[in-house]
Amino acid sequence: MSVSAENITHESVAASHALPEPTPKEAAALAELYRDFGKENLIPLWTEIGDLMPMVPTPKAVPHVWRWDDLYPLAARAGDLVPVGRGGERRAIALANPGLAGTPYATPTLWAAIQYLGGRETAPEHRHSQNAFRFVVEGEGVWTVVNGDPVRMSRGDFLLTPGWNFHGHHNDTDEPMAWIDGLDIPFVHYADAGFFEFGTERVTDEATPDISRSERLWAHPGLRPLSGLQDTVNSPIAAYRWKYTDAALREQLLLEDEGHPATVSQGHAAVRYTNPTTGGDVMPTIRAEFHRLRPGAATETVREVGSSVWQVFEGSGTVVLNGETRNLEKGDLFVVPSWTQWSLQADTQFDLFRFSDAPIFERLNFTRTYTEGRKNA
């Protein structure tokens, strides 16, 4: 569909096919009909079609940028004042999209938050239906324990906590640490599919290994253990380490320099985190990617069905959201609601982490992308 459809509305089409005004008798009968609809909890489609079936997506969520320099000090203040423990469970501060009427959601399907754990603190174990991950923009010293497997958290690492896995966090240092959490909480909430269960008061294993057991078994490129030949819904890898992500992006750009096809577009390297048992996404409701732009490089201008949240890992640049340019620095987060026009421009080398709800829309066959300057179906 061309974006020109945005210039057409149900109202404009109805106006071009205007019917005669009802007579007083017909108007009275219609009024009585609508009252009777209301008594029976019925609503006619013809009065709602513009909202229920818009010509193109019209999200209530709006594009927005959260500044890391604002978020981190607020999280630190919460660290001084708000304990971690049963009841609240986590010292996590959600990004609330200004268009979603005070709900703690970044988009209608995605939840994002900054989580802060003080020195020597432990967040007790629990589990829930919602799929979750952690991405670390800076810091170290915390281990997340997922189903009894202690997983080191360090800068640039992407760590999984799939749904219904017991998990807790413990800080083995005197210094605080913060990271971002991403979950499918809004989607699970609207689908009435959520369950929650408390676990141990601390964590089931307070060891601090450099490499988790899941990585020792699964994180060997191209090699699959014969003990794990059954496909899994979620990736069995607990942590995707920065050194491998960095190397993959670096080699794409080096191959581009050598004249070989390797990048998404000129100066734009990107990878997707995948489930080694299926080759698909790491979790059934969340897609995760990492993007690197050379200084001066830019992406195409795109609109997509489905929403995403981005965080700047390193460098600086700009994002254009529905024609408005926003400057970005390390740690800043921004949200791209469904069908929002977006593009990126790098000032320095520009590294960005991205997560989205794309797996949901692909399974439902609702995906659609419009790229400016291309012939779009």
Side-chain angles (χ1 to χ4, degrees):
M1 176 188 290
S2 169
V3 294
S4 62
E6 293 181 11
N7 299 320
I8 302 172
T9 66
H10 290 284
E11 291 77 13
S12 65
V13 172
S16 67
H17 296 76
L19 297 174
E21 287 293 321
T23 65
K25 184 177 180 180
E26 290 170 336
L30 276 171
E32 183 178 5
L33 175 64
Y34 290 139
R35 285 193 298 271
D36 290 341
F37 282 160
K39 291 176 183 177
E40 298 300 326
N41 296 302
L42 301 171
I43 299 175
L45 173 63
W46 58 86
T47 64
E48 307 291 326
I49 193 167
D51 291 329
L52 296 176
M53 298 181 180
M55 309 305 289
V56 297
T58 55
K60 291 183 173 62
V62 298
H64 191 74
V65 175
W66 290 266
R67 302 293 179 190
W68 188 251
D69 287 346
D70 297 326
L71 295 179
Y72 189 84
L74 289 169
R77 286 168 59 189
D80 293 335
L81 297 170
V82 180
V84 171
R86 288 303 185 207
E89 295 294 299
R90 301 290 186 260
R91 192 186 291 112
I93 305 152
L95 309 185
N97 191 293
L100 295 180
T103 57
Y105 303 153
T107 81
T109 52
L110 300 174
W111 193 86
I114 176 173
Q115 185 172 163
Y116 187 93
L117 196 65
R120 306 295 170 182
E121 283 190 325
T122 295
E125 289 197 347
H126 62 217
R127 64 178 177 176
H128 40 68
S129 305
Q130 295 84 352
N131 295 292
F133 70 82
R134 330 285 164 203
F135 180 74
V136 185
V137 73
E138 60 186 9
E140 59 182 15
V142 170
W143 273 256
T144 182
V145 181
V146 182
N147 276 354
D149 189 4
V151 186
R152 171 177 54 87
M153 297 176 64
S154 299
R155 173 171 159 76
D157 293 345
F158 171 63
L159 308 107
L160 299 186
T161 309
W164 214 237
N165 283 232
F166 277 112
H167 58 281
H169 320 302
H170 68 100
N171 189 340
D172 202 50
T173 74
D174 295 322
E175 299 300 318
M177 183 174 165
W179 59 88
I180 67 163
D181 291 338
L183 294 92
D184 53 11
I185 289 175
F187 175 73
V188 174
H189 175 75
Y190 289 131
D192 288 329
F195 293 86
F196 183 97
E197 184 177 331
F198 293 111
T200 62
E201 291 299 313
R202 292 188 60 79
V203 291
T204 50
D205 191 333
E206 295 193 14
T208 57
D210 191 53
I211 300 296
S212 65
R213 294 192 295 273
S214 74
E215 293 169 82
R216 292 168 60 191
L217 184 61
W218 283 97
H220 305 284
L223 301 173
R224 182 169 179 174
L226 291 182
S227 60
L229 293 182
Q230 183 175 354
D231 289 352
T232 58
V233 173
N234 303 291
S235 172
I237 302 175
Y240 294 73
R241 299 298 178 188
W242 169 243
K243 66 179 180 179
Y244 302 121
T245 306
D246 182 40
L249 296 164
R250 182 174 63 249
E251 291 301 326
Q252 285 187 21
L253 292 173
L254 287 173
L255 285 167
E256 181 183 80
D257 288 339
E258 296 164 13
H260 303 292
T263 53
V264 176
S265 59
Q266 189 66 33
H268 178 193
V271 294
R272 180 177 298 169
Y273 301 92
T274 61
N275 177 348
T277 74
T278 64
D281 289 294
V282 290
M283 291 185 287
T285 54
I286 294 175
R287 174 166 295 165
E289 300 172 346
F290 203 100
H291 295 251
R292 173 171 291 169
L293 277 69
R294 296 184 192 269
T299 68
E300 296 178 293
T301 300
V302 175
R303 296 175 188 251
E304 300 159 304
V305 168
S307 54
S308 60
V309 178
W310 298 67
Q311 184 174 36
V312 179
F313 179 69
E314 194 64 76
S316 62
T318 58
V319 61
V320 182
L321 298 166
N322 281 345
E324 184 176 346
T325 301
R326 319 282 184 94
N327 295 319
L328 298 170
E329 302 287 344
K330 176 182 173 181
D332 292 348
L333 295 111
F334 64 93
V335 61
V336 182
S338 186
W339 213 241
T340 295
Q341 183 188 65
W342 67 270
S343 63
L344 295 167
Q345 170 83 43
D347 296 334
T348 66
Q349 178 175 296
F350 203 25
D351 286 0
L352 302 103
F353 171 78
R354 180 194 194 193
F355 73 99
S356 74
D357 53 17
I360 298 172
F361 290 93
E362 287 182 358
R363 283 180 174 82
L364 297 173
N365 200 31
F366 284 158
T367 53
R368 189 168 296 202
T369 301
Y370 178 87
T371 305
E372 284 193 5
R374 288 192 191 181
K375 185 177 181 180
N376 293 271

